[in-house]
């Protein structure tokens, strides 16, 4: 196995998680270079992670001919162009979701990916690498649920992060709640059912955070969808879970049903005190998906070393983005959108 030299762009909320994982947990990989536009993040990379090559420009970083791969954890609006630039330099690419914000750009990126079949391109749909989701997938493949009839997906960020999101939304575009958050559930629904979305109808409100209306963002976004195979899907994304980081998925089949994370439990502890019986909850995404973030990067590096294709492809990125954009359009136009 060769040691894969990785250059990472973005060392923010998620970038720090990936960078720490590459240094401490990912086998056969080295965090060789980083790019950030925030000085303190570069100091952190140098001093805490021991990265020698620290850049403020991504284009400069990928000029380094010793690099094998990039990890893209920059804001969503940069993903398409940074993927394309990396492929042009002959680099393997792991990119955070979404693959881009604009469908035409994404179609071009998918063409570039198709023209570079010898390169591994993996998208950051980390839930596919979570132990519980993998268990459910295996169960479904074994036929335990019979035929899937319905899926219900909740992805609600903790209310402790709401103010920082409001500040973020005032200065940058997230792509909207469906592209920023529901996209993980869209990917899970496609992954579990093996079917594509046919129609979507979305609603949203800002009852919990009226300030978000000023920046065209939603605190709560919900969607009722039908898939090509007839499966009904209900997706709810939010930014105001008072109890922690709530990611819950329900899959109902003709022979049974599965729930994953119906209470976002932190561990196996149950506390019995004057408040009643309390289960501590996981409080943010790095905690809930700690192992999945490590597993997805190990899978990326393995795919490079084994010269295998990634299991989360550019087409997954394109399809999920198409659905998320249709959901946003449905909300804005107050009508059912056909894909
Ligand atoms: P953030 O705002 O905390 O960090 C952004 C990083 O990008 C910073 O290090 C900044 O220096 C860097 N950056 C900004 N502009 C740049 C430029 N022009 N050139 C180079 N670097 C630049 O963002 P956060 O929350 O870490 O999100 C990053 C991406 O990760 C987003 O696309 C988001 O959708 C995705 N994400 C995925 C999650 C998941 O569950 N898989 C969870 C959180 C974020």
């Amino acid at each position: 196995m060769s040691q894969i030299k990785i250059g990472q762009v973005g060392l923010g909320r998620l970038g720090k998680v990936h960078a720490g994982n590459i240094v401490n947990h990912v086998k056969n990989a080295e965090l060789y270079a980083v790019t950030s536009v925030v000085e303190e993040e570069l100091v952190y990379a140098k001093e805490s992670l021991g990265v020698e090559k620290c850049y403020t420009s991504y284009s400069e970083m990928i000029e380094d001919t010793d690099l094998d791969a990039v990890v893209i954890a920059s804001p969503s609006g940069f993903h398409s162009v940074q993927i394309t630039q990396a492929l042009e330099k002959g680099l393997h690419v792991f990119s955070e979701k979404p693959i881009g914000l604009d469908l035409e750009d994404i179609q071009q990126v998918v063409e570039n990916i198709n023209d570079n079949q010898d390169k591994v391109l993996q998208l950051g749909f980390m839930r596919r690498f979570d132990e519980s989701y993998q268990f459910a997938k295996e169960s479904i493949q074994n036929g335990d649920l019979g035929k899937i009839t319905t899926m219900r997906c909740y992805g609600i960020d903790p209310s402790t992060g709401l103010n920082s999101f409001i500040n973020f939304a005032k200065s940058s575009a997230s792509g909207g709640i469906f592209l920023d958050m529901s996209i993980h559930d869209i990917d899970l629904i496609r992954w579990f059912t093996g079917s594509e979305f046919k129609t979507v109808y979305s609603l949203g409100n800002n009852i919990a955070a009226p300030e978000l209306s000023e920046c065209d963002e939603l605190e709560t976004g919900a969607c009722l969808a039908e898939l090509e195979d007839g499966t009904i899907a209900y997706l709810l994304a939010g930014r105001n879970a008072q109890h922690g980081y709530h990611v819950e998925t329900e899959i109902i089949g003709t022979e049974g049903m599965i729930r994953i994370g119906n209470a976002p439990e932190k561990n196996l502890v149950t506390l019995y005190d004057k408040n009643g019986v309390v289960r501590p909850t996981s409080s943010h995404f790095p905690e809930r998906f700690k192992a999945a973030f490590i597993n997805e990067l190990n899978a990326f590096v393995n795919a490079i070393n084994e010269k295998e294709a990634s299991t989360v492809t550019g087409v997954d990125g394109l399809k999920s983005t198409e659905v998320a954009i249709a959901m946003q359009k449905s909300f804005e136009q107050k009508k059912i959108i056909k894909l």
Side-chain angles (χ1 to χ4, degrees):
M1 290 279 180
S2 22
Q3 189 76 353
I4 303 300
K5 286 190 164 61
I6 295 178
Q8 180 174 314
V9 58
L11 284 168
R13 259 181 353 137
L14 181 59
K16 280 206 181 70
V17 175
H18 285 322
N21 285 341
I22 296 166
V23 172
N24 297 311
H25 300 293
V26 178
K27 293 194 193 93
N28 304 311
E30 176 191 343
L31 186 59
Y32 176 79
V34 291
T35 301
S36 166
V37 292
V38 179
E39 180 59 29
E40 304 90 76
E41 292 177 357
L42 293 175
V43 171
Y44 164 80
K46 202 166 204 123
E47 291 180 358
S48 303
L49 301 175
V51 183
E52 292 288 325
K53 295 183 179 256
C54 297
Y55 296 86
T56 51
S57 155
Y58 175 73
S59 311
E60 267 179 46
M61 178 179 80
I62 60 173
E63 286 297 329
D64 192 317
T65 50
D66 284 335
L67 271 185
D68 298 304
V70 290
V71 165
I72 298 174
S74 53
S76 305
F78 293 110
H79 296 178
S80 298
V81 66
Q82 289 176 339
I83 294 170
T84 301
Q85 284 177 288
L87 289 173
E88 278 166 4
K89 292 283 172 200
L91 298 167
H92 302 281
V93 180
F94 176 95
S95 172
E96 259 318 314
K97 47 59 54 173
I99 190 169
L101 298 179
D102 176 89
L103 277 182
E104 269 178 37
D105 290 350
I106 300 169
Q107 260 143 2
Q108 186 58 53
V109 173
V110 172
E111 277 174 37
N112 294 340
I113 294 165
N114 289 339
D115 293 342
N116 288 277
Q117 295 282 347
D118 58 326
K119 296 289 165 284
V120 176
L121 181 289
Q122 184 176 322
L123 279 178
F125 288 130
M126 79 296 182
R127 292 187 195 172
R128 294 195 194 196
F129 296 87
D130 173 76
E131 205 182 1
S132 302
Y133 282 101
Q134 290 187 332
F135 185 93
K137 173 81 174 165
E138 225 176 281
S139 226
I140 289 164
Q141 277 169 337
N142 292 341
D144 298 347
L145 291 196
K147 284 191 179 150
I148 298 175
T149 66
T150 312
M151 282 190 67
R152 176 179 63 85
C153 305
Y154 286 2
I156 314 175
D157 275 351
S159 49
T160 48
L162 184 56
N163 280 339
S164 91
F165 178 76
I166 291 170
N167 290 336
F168 166 85
K170 283 180 179 160
S171 58
S172 340
S174 74
I177 197 162
F178 301 111
L179 202 47
D180 190 34
M181 296 187 67
S182 302
I183 199 153
H184 280 296
D185 289 321
I186 297 168
D187 181 63
L188 283 181
I189 291 167
R190 293 183 61 251
W191 187 55
F192 278 122
T193 61
S195 184
E196 298 296 345
F197 281 67
K198 195 163 89 177
T199 58
V200 295
Y201 179 61
S202 307
L203 295 169
N205 70 46
N206 277 329
I207 294 165
E211 309 96 296
L212 283 176
S213 302
E214 288 159 30
C215 29
D216 284 337
E217 285 281 358
L218 287 173
E219 182 281 315
T220 292
C223 174
L224 190 60
E226 185 183 14
L227 272 64
E228 280 171 1
D229 69 357
T231 302
I232 297 164
Y234 174 65
L235 303 86
L236 181 125
R239 303 188 184 278
N240 189 39
Q242 296 289 333
H243 57 287
Y245 174 65
H246 191 114
V247 170
E248 177 184 357
T249 309
E250 181 175 54
I251 309 156
I252 302 178
T254 51
E255 304 296 323
M257 58 193 264
I258 281 179
R259 280 189 186 164
I260 304 153
N262 60 335
E265 286 151 3
K266 188 184 185 77
N267 49 37
L268 295 177
V269 170
T270 306
L271 175 68
Y272 301 78
D273 69 2
K274 61 181 184 312
N275 297 315
V277 181
V278 179
R279 299 293 322 266
T281 49
S282 70
S283 45
H284 40 64
F285 68 84
E287 182 184 32
R288 166 64 183 88
F289 289 109
K290 187 173 193 287
F293 284 122
I294 297 170
N295 295 344
E296 67 175 353
L297 283 177
N298 269 315
F300 173 61
V301 170
N302 276 346
I304 296 172
N305 269 324
E306 302 288 346
K307 298 194 177 5
E308 286 171 356
S310 147
T311 52
V312 197
T313 63
V315 172
D316 291 321
L318 175 66
K319 292 281 180 192
S320 54
T321 309
E322 274 172 357
V323 177
I325 290 175
M327 283 162 70
Q328 182 70 32
K329 201 164 145 190
S330 168
F331 163 69
E332 285 165 7
Q333 299 182 359
K334 294 267 173 282
K335 63 179 193 193
I336 296 173
I337 301 288
K338 287 197 173 117
L339 280 119

